[in-house]
Structure formats: C-alpha cells, structure tokens
Amino acid sequence: MATPRRDPLTLEVVELIGTVVARYYEEYEQAAARHSLTGAQARVLGLLSLEPLPMRGIARKLKCEPSNVTGIVDRLEARGLVERRPDPADRRVKLAAPTEEGRATASRLRDSLDFAREPLAALSDEEREVLRDLLKRMLGESVL
Amino acid sequence: MATPRRDPLTLEVVELIGTVVARYYEEYEQAAARHSLTGAQARVLGLLSLEPLPMRGIARKLKCEPSNVTGIVDRLEARGLVERRPDPADRRVKLAAPTEEGRATASRLRDSLDFAREPLAALSDEEREVLRDLLKRMLGESVL
DNA sequence: TATTGTTATACTCTATAACTATA
DNA sequence: TATAGTTATAGAGTATAACAATA
C-alpha cells in the first residue's frame, strides 16, 4: 500500500474531489426533498426500483443495522411507495418492493438527479472518456 | 442551462462519480468514528482548525440552521476540543475556536483522511493534472 | 441453534419557533 | 427593530440489545 502524497497538486485534486462530493451530496438531498423524501428514503426507493430486496439486503446495501431499515421502509410504506411481500422460499423473510407509484417516484427522482449532475455537460465526449478512465483507475479493481 | 445528457458514456461517468462520492463519504465517517467523533463534529472541528468562527458562520459553512450548531459545539466543548470565546467587537457573538487538543485531533483526522483518499496514488503526476483540470471544468467558475 | 425481522432504547442531527441579550 | 445565540420541541437516522417466528 503506497504512502499518501502531500504535494500541492495532489492536495488540490483532493480538495476538488471534496468539493464534488459535497455538492453531489447536497444536490441529492435537495432532489429527495423535492419529492418529500429524506436522503435515506430516496436511496432505499432507488435500490428497490432496481430489484425487490429482503430487509436484510437493504441493510447491507446501506451499510447500516437491519433494525434501522424497519423504520425507513415503514415510512415509505405509509406513503404507498413500497410494500412488504412474503418470500415464498423462506417465511422469515419479507421482500420490500416498490408499488406502481413508488416506481414512478423513483423514476422522477432519477431524472432530478441527472439534472443535478448536469455539470458533466461542460465536458466534451473525449474529456468524459478521459475522466471515466481516470476515475476507474482511481477506484481500482474493486469496482470492476 | 444545458439539457442533461443520457448517452452511455455520460451515464457511466455519473455512476463512477456516485461511487467516488459514496466511498469518500463512508471513509470520512469511519475516520471520524476512529476519533470518536460524528461526521458533523469532525466537519466543524476541521473548519475551526482553519480559523475560529462565530456560531452563525459555522451554520453557513454547514448549510444548516444555527440552532443545530449549538449542540454540535456543546459536544465538542464537553470533550475539550473546542472553546467558546467572546468577540471583543460584538458582545452578541461567540467565537468557537479549537483548543490545543482540538488542533491535534483535527490534524490526526486530516491524516486519516489523506489515507482514505490514497486511491489518488494510483495516478501519475500528469494524470492528476488532467483530473484536476477536468474536475475544475466540471465544477465551473463558482469554485474559482 | 442460527437467522430474519421487529421492538425498545438512547443518542445525534435536523428544522421550526420562541426566547434573551445585545446592537 | 434587527441580529446572535440559545432553548424547546418534534421527526428522522443510527447503533445496541432483546424478542418472536421460522429455519
């Protein structure tokens, strides 16, 4: 494992990444709020719009304790965006799945987020390719 | 304002940025937790280690309501990491400033974070310059 | 026995509104 | 009257521990 670098260029890039992270996070929360959702609720709804998941699976994706998921799904369910279904294969398991309205909300949320990420529009196709490759290299093999 | 793009390349870059954001955030929280600090406490301590700030100024930086800052600074103060000082120029104002121990903790926290950001070590100097310029372009003039 | 989901509890962060002491 | 900081309150996310139902 390499030693972290402290040269001015590295520090400048670190600072820029910090700015990207802060802005992205802020805009994510705002997009969620426009749909009267908290960030956590929006993340869960987004996950479930890809595929229904057991409560435990949601906790793994969110990297939080399973007990927290109960409340988040409760609130989404109370708003009619998500429903709990039994798992035919294991009666202990409850599968959380988006309702029709939940899927629609998730879709609109995704559009909001694309809008939030619009800064990418400032780059040409070639520049996006370079950026993609640099980010991939930065993130390492774990992403591949 | 340009229309958001949806071509596969753009979506791939958006996805990669999302991954960077998630990893950065997660590692930030973990680094804070290693010092028994919450993310919000670590952010405030980091801010104050650059310069003492009035409570109102902290709220502006955190983009939250001033009433929240009271509790966060209370907890940092209870741990001896921060102190409230009067502002000679305006007796309504309280300046929050790090103690000696607070500065030391902020410094160790910064080191943890550099370690967390180590992925940058995978890039050469030239690549970092390219990444820096692309990020700057992405973020636009507002950062300059 | 082990696992899934839940409940109960406590702490932190968050926004809103009302309060105080200054300006 | 306006502003800085605080308090009170309520909602949400978080972790921990204990529980019922099922495997």
Side-chain angles (χ1 to χ4, degrees):
Chain A
M1 206 181 253
T3 299
R5 302 188 48 172
R6 303 292 173 81
D7 57 288
L9 173 58
T10 296
L11 294 181
E12 190 180 1
V13 176
V14 163
E15 173 96 13
L16 284 166
I17 292 176
T19 303
V20 169
V21 169
R23 186 175 302 187
Y24 183 107
Y25 223 83
E26 188 190 333
E27 294 185 353
Y28 190 95
E29 296 289 321
Q30 286 172 358
R34 281 195 291 276
H35 297 277
S36 303
L37 293 171
T38 65
Q41 288 164 14
R43 274 185 287 279
V44 169
L45 188 56
L47 280 175
L48 298 182
S49 74
L50 299 177
E51 56 168 350
L53 287 172
M55 304 300 280
R56 217 89 184 175
I58 298 175
R60 263 190 300 274
K61 295 275 190 181
L62 256 58
K63 296 184 207 290
C64 74
E65 293 301 316
S67 60
N68 301 327
V69 179
T70 300
I72 298 172
V73 170
D74 278 352
R75 290 180 271 277
L76 287 171
E77 197 166 32
R79 289 191 40 195
L81 300 176
V82 158
E83 62 181 8
R84 275 180 249 235
R85 301 201 290 235
D87 181 343
D90 185 338
R91 287 194 299 168
R92 292 173 303 180
V93 173
K94 288 177 191 168
L95 291 171
T99 62
E100 198 54 47
E101 189 189 342
R103 265 188 293 276
T105 300
S107 173
R108 279 184 286 125
L109 192 55
R110 228 176 344 259
D111 288 350
S112 297
L113 287 172
D114 282 350
F115 188 75
R117 290 149 175 173
E118 184 188 310
L120 273 179
L123 305 184
S124 70
D125 279 354
E126 292 71 24
E127 290 169 330
R128 274 172 238 224
E129 285 180 20
V130 174
L131 180 57
R132 175 197 60 192
D133 295 340
L134 288 176
L135 290 176
K136 270 188 172 173
R137 296 261 317 284
M138 235 187 80
L139 289 167
E141 301 75 24
S142 56
V143 204
L144 307 182
Chain B
M1 208 182 254
T3 298
R5 304 189 47 170
R6 301 293 172 78
D7 56 289
L9 173 57
T10 296
L11 293 180
E12 191 181 0
V13 176
V14 163
E15 172 98 14
L16 284 166
I17 293 175
T19 304
V20 169
V21 168
R23 186 175 301 185
Y24 183 107
Y25 223 82
E26 189 190 333
E27 294 185 353
Y28 190 96
E29 296 288 322
Q30 287 172 357
R34 281 196 291 277
H35 296 278
S36 303
L37 294 171
T38 65
Q41 287 164 13
R43 275 185 287 279
V44 169
L45 188 57
L47 280 175
L48 298 183
S49 74
L50 299 177
E51 56 167 350
L53 287 172
M55 304 300 279
R56 218 88 184 176
I58 298 175
R60 264 190 299 273
K61 295 275 191 182
L62 256 57
K63 295 184 207 289
C64 74
E65 293 301 315
S67 60
N68 301 328
V69 178
T70 300
I72 298 172
V73 169
D74 279 352
R75 290 181 271 279
L76 287 170
E77 196 165 33
R79 290 190 41 196
L81 301 175
V82 158
E83 63 181 7
R84 274 181 251 235
R85 301 201 291 234
D87 180 343
D90 186 336
R91 287 194 299 168
R92 292 174 303 180
V93 173
K94 289 177 190 168
L95 290 171
T99 62
E100 198 55 47
E101 189 189 343
R103 267 188 293 273
T105 299
S107 172
R108 279 184 286 125
L109 193 55
R110 225 172 351 252
D111 288 351
S112 296
L113 287 173
D114 281 350
F115 188 75
R117 290 149 174 175
E118 184 188 312
L120 272 180
L123 305 184
S124 70
D125 278 354
E126 291 72 24
E127 289 169 329
R128 274 173 238 222
E129 285 180 18
V130 174
L131 181 57
R132 175 197 60 192
D133 294 340
L134 288 175
L135 291 175
K136 271 187 172 173
R137 298 260 317 281
M138 237 187 78
L139 288 168
E141 302 74 25
S142 55
V143 205
L144 306 182

